[in-house]
Amino acid sequence: MGYPNGHKGDAGTLTVRECRTQFERVGSSRHRHARPVDTCTGTFRADRGGAAVENATVETPAKFEPGTELEVQKTDHGFVMIDEQWIWRSLAIVCVAVCAVVAGLFCLLTGFGGRRGPGLREAWRRVPGGAVVRYVLAGSGGLAALGAGAAWLVDGIVR
């Protein structure tokens, strides 16, 4: 989330010279298929000044005409196009990660999910710290799940 907020990388403009579509192989060894990936190459100029970067390449959601200016971020590993979908997907990933951490903490604290561990109701009663910790776990997990759902819903609408 540091790139779209401007905390990391250098924001700037990429002036498109050419765009092309390549096919990337994805999937398992049994179910391989090719996914089209659009990339645009051009000149990057940072908003803060500095030397222009020739032949900067960025993955884009579509092909663009030569001369089009795209808002991009220069990262440690290349260039990324920051758009609304990227922001919503990143937020959804963070929320899903929080859900996984909360579930993992619950299992560690109670032994739930172990080979001879307690059932869900018994584990819920066993949470150390009593009602306060149960409310914190349920509240943070629930808010993260709602955040992930909302982010994916908005991501689907933005398309």
Side-chain angles (χ1 to χ4, degrees):
M1 295 300 293
Y3 292 114
N5 294 327
H7 300 294
K8 290 178 75 178
D10 293 323
T13 305
L14 181 114
T15 305
V16 175
R17 186 173 58 244
E18 69 172 338
C19 290
R20 58 175 58 158
T21 302
Q22 297 173 323
F23 291 90
E24 178 182 273
R25 292 242 179 243
V26 293
S28 67
S29 59
R30 291 184 181 176
H31 304 286
R32 294 190 80 90
H33 62 279
R35 175 180 75 99
V37 177
D38 293 317
T39 57
C40 293
T41 304
T43 304
F44 173 79
R45 288 185 177 75
D47 291 344
R48 296 181 185 157
V53 178
E54 297 293 329
N55 297 322
T57 301
V58 65
E59 189 174 314
T60 58
K63 286 184 176 181
F64 293 94
E65 294 295 319
T68 304
E69 293 187 347
L70 305 175
E71 298 288 325
V72 298
Q73 285 282 112
K74 181 179 180 187
T75 68
D76 297 335
H77 308 289
F79 296 89
V80 231
M81 187 171 175
I82 306 295
D83 58 352
E84 283 189 52
Q85 283 184 325
W86 194 87
I87 294 169
W88 288 113
R89 285 181 186 161
S90 296
L91 179 61
I93 290 168
V94 168
C95 288
V96 168
V98 169
C99 287
V101 167
V102 167
L105 279 174
F106 175 74
C107 291
L108 283 173
L109 291 172
T110 63
F112 177 74
R115 181 169 276 173
R116 300 194 191 279
L120 181 60
R121 284 188 179 170
E122 180 61 28
W124 189 247
R125 287 188 205 113
R126 278 191 189 182
V127 172
V132 173
V133 175
R134 283 195 295 261
Y135 288 135
V136 168
L137 287 173
S140 57
L143 284 175
L146 280 172
W152 270 316
L153 179 67
V154 172
D155 177 46
I157 293 171
V158 169
R159 287 184 195 185

